[in-house]
Amino acid sequence: MQHDPRQPVIILVRPQMGENIGAAARAMLNFGLTEMRLVDPRDGWPNPRAIAMASGAAGQVLDHARIHPTLAEAMEGIDYAFATTARGRELSKPVFTPAAAMDKARRHDGRSAIVFGPERAGLENDDVARANAIVTVPVNPAFPSLNLAQAVLLMGYEWGRDTLPTEPAPHRRKADAEWLADRVEIERLGDHYEEKLAQAGFFFPETKAAAMRLNLRNMWSRLVLTRGDVRILHGVLRQLTRR
């Protein structure tokens, strides 16, 4: 399979769970990324749990994933690599947010890669040393750990923001139950309730009737109702007042 050389390669170093590999593949394809490289996966390869979790992404991502014994070999052909880590490092390297890293990747002329560590402890210093820069996500410092697939999804999203369509896909036509009721429909509902409440003697005493009607109108105008809601409320009132 030919991969788009402009896209960053996703490298998973010593991944431990097949489910996380599969979920990472799904996250990649969500944002148009297709090239995955695996470094020494703990449970070997292929992994049926990864394939099951990947669902529709198995054919486009996992079936073409390349397996390597070391990170050095997995980085063949890579000109610029980002190491993802939540921990501070003694290594002196540029540090980027995900958005800034993917902006740099888009402007980079050669091939780039994003390197993710194993689930338990993340990348080791030897792994980070092979990268050109570090990516750190601004998260709660009291709980900085991200699931592997979540981290891939986050980086994929930042990559896809400028490469995928910005407009949402067209949706099916809404049923009446989903369309918001307009002002006229709400007023008719208010008229219906006011009529039946008047027949039941609700507006009493007469001196307070005008204020009570005004409060009810104000209440109806504040409600956010769909056309389906309006139909139900009309039906409820008809049933309650049926002789």
Side-chain angles (χ1 to χ4, degrees):
M1 178 179 180
Q2 287 293 109
H3 298 286
D4 185 345
R6 295 168 298 178
Q7 295 181 353
V9 177
I10 301 299
I11 301 178
L12 307 186
V13 178
R14 299 180 296 279
Q16 297 169 311
M17 297 180 63
E19 292 87 346
N20 283 336
I21 299 172
R26 292 182 69 167
M28 288 172 59
L29 197 56
N30 282 152
F31 299 103
L33 300 175
T34 57
E35 186 169 358
M36 174 185 281
R37 300 182 188 181
L38 302 175
V39 176
D40 190 25
R42 183 190 67 182
D43 296 332
W45 195 259
N47 187 313
R49 291 184 175 180
I51 294 169
M53 180 61 77
S55 187
Q60 296 187 63
V61 179
L62 294 187
D63 286 355
H64 305 280
R66 292 164 53 184
I67 315 303
H68 302 274
T70 66
L71 177 57
E73 293 175 75
M75 290 178 65
E76 178 186 357
I78 300 300
D79 304 299
Y80 200 96
F82 300 91
T84 59
T85 178
R87 302 196 306 271
R89 304 283 181 168
E90 297 177 356
L91 302 172
S92 178
K93 291 182 183 291
V95 179
F96 294 95
T97 63
M102 292 301 91
D103 181 60
K104 183 172 180 62
R106 279 187 288 271
R107 292 184 285 106
H108 183 64
D109 289 333
R111 294 228 68 187
S112 61
I114 312 168
V115 183
F116 299 85
E119 296 91 324
R120 183 180 296 274
L123 293 170
E124 298 177 356
N125 281 341
D126 286 347
D127 302 320
V128 177
R130 295 186 180 279
N132 302 90
I134 289 172
V135 179
T136 297
V137 181
V139 293
N140 176 8
F143 192 70
S145 177
L146 287 175
N147 171 272
L148 175 59
Q150 291 174 330
V152 173
L153 182 73
L154 183 58
M155 297 302 295
Y157 170 76
E158 292 296 349
W159 169 261
R161 283 205 303 172
D162 283 354
T163 58
L164 295 175
T166 56
E167 293 297 322
H171 292 284
R172 60 178 173 80
R173 184 177 179 181
K174 288 184 178 180
D176 278 352
E178 299 174 88
W179 285 107
L180 290 180
D182 61 28
R183 181 181 57 81
V184 173
E185 291 167 320
I186 297 293
E187 286 188 358
R188 287 174 180 166
L189 180 64
D191 290 341
H192 190 187
Y193 270 77
E194 191 171 316
E195 174 192 351
K196 296 302 181 182
L197 288 171
Q199 292 173 3
F202 177 79
F203 299 109
F204 181 85
E206 185 65 29
T207 54
K208 295 184 178 180
M212 294 170 72
R213 292 174 190 271
L214 181 63
N215 287 337
L216 277 173
R217 287 289 170 179
N218 190 43
M219 179 194 75
W220 289 118
S221 69
R222 292 198 310 268
L223 296 179
V224 179
L225 300 173
T226 66
R227 290 175 177 174
D229 296 332
V230 169
R231 283 202 307 272
I232 289 172
L233 289 170
H234 277 299
V236 167
L237 187 57
R238 282 192 293 268
Q239 189 67 27
L240 288 173
T241 58
R242 179 177 293 176
R243 292 286 191 270

